[in-house]
Amino acid sequence: MFTRFKLRDYDFKLVLMVAALAAIGIMAIGSAEPSLQTRQLVGVVAGIALMIIISFFNYTWILKLNWLMYALNLALLLAVRYLGSEGRLGAQRWLEIGGLRFQPSETAKILLILFFAQFIMRYRKRLNTVMIIGSCVLLVALPLYLVYRQPDLSTSIVLVVIFCVVMFAGGISWKLVISVILIAVPAVALLISLALQPDSKLLTDSQQKRIMAFFKPDEYRDAEAYQQLNSVTAIASGQLEGKGYKNNEITSVKNGNFISEAQTDFIFAVIGEEFGFKGSVAVIVLIFGISLECISVARQAKDLAGTIVAAGVGGWIAFQGFINIGVTTFILPNTGLTLPFVSYGLTSLLSLFMGMGFVLNIRLQAKKTK
C-alpha cells in the first residue's frame, strides 16, 4: 500500500495553487460570515492534512476497493433519502451522525471518479461495446437518480459532466462522442422547453422559476433574480482594486445584506467587491491552473486508472468553478453550486482535498520521460 517516493517528484506547484485558493476562501468567508471563518480554517487544515496523507498511499491499492466505494456511496445517498435532514427550500441533502452534519452528494463526486477509474481500466479493451457502455450508464444512473430526487439538479448535472469526462479519458470512441453530442444538444433544448411549460413536472417550482428569472430578470428582480442582480452589482462596484477587505462602506452590497448565503454560492461576489477585478482574476487563474495541472498529471499517469482519476478531478473543478462564477456574473441561471476550495462547506472542501491527494499520488508515480 505504501511505496517509497522521491520528494522531487512531488507536485508542489499544485499544492501551492490549492493552498492559495483555499486561503482566499478563508479570507472571503471571514468577511461574508465572520462566525464561520474559524470552522473554514479548521476544514482547510484538516483537508490539507488529508490530502498529504492520501498522496503517499498507492492509489492502485485503494482503487481495488472500488465496489466497496460504490456500495458506500449508494448507502449514504439512500440514508439521505430516508433519514436525511432538510435544509433551505425543503431540500433533503444532509445526514447527521453523532453531531456531524455532512452532504453525501458531495462525496459522491470523488467516489464515482474512483469507482469508474478501476471499472473502466478493468474493461478497457471492451469499453466501446454496448455491454460495457450500458453497464457504465446503469451504474451512474442509480446514484444520479438519488441525488436528483433530493432534489439537487445542479449536483446531478455536475455528476453527469464528471461521468462524461471519465468516459472520454477512459478512451470511448470519438464516433460515439460525436453521436451523443448530436443527439444530446437538441434533446436538452427540448427538455428545457418542456420543463418551462406551466404544467410541467420535470422541474420543481423553485428550479423552474430560477430558469425563468435568467431569461426574464426584470420580471423576477425582487424574487428569484434578486441574488444574481445584486451579485453583479457587487462585482462591478469593486472595479479594478476593490473596496478593501472587510470595508465599512455603506454602499457595499455585502454590508447591506443584499446577498444571502454570501459565504457559499455567492462568495465570488464578495471577492469581486472587496478585491476587485484583480482579485477576481486571481481566483479564476488559480482554478484554471489547478484544472490544467490535473490534466497534465493525467497525461503523465502510469496507467489508465490514474489518467481517469486525474482528468475526472480536473474536469470536476473546472466545470463547477465555471458554473459558480457564471451564476454570480449572471451569464448562467442560478444553480446553487459552490466555488471549489473557496465557498464554505466542509463536505465539499474535504472531498476536493481528497481528490487532490489522489492526483498528487498519481503524479508521484508518473511515467518518467527521458
Side-chain angles (χ1 to χ4, degrees), residues 133 172-187:
I133 292 175
I172 196 167
S173 168
W174 272 100
K175 292 180 180 179
L176 285 172
V177 172
I178 294 171
S179 299
V180 169
I181 291 174
L182 291 175
I183 295 170
V185 171

Side-chain angles (χ1 to χ4, degrees), residues 281-297:
V281 169
V283 169
I284 293 170
V285 168
L286 284 170
I287 290 175
F288 187 63
I290 291 169
S291 302
L292 280 183
E293 189 65 16
C294 289
I295 300 303
S296 175
V297 171

Side-chain angles (χ1 to χ4, degrees), residues 136-158:
C136 289
V137 171
L138 285 174
L139 286 167
V140 78
L142 289 171
L144 185 63
Y145 173 77
L146 292 172
V147 172
Y148 176 76
R149 293 294 298 173
Q150 289 182 358
D152 194 345
L153 178 61
S154 55
T155 301
S156 301
I157 294 171
V158 173

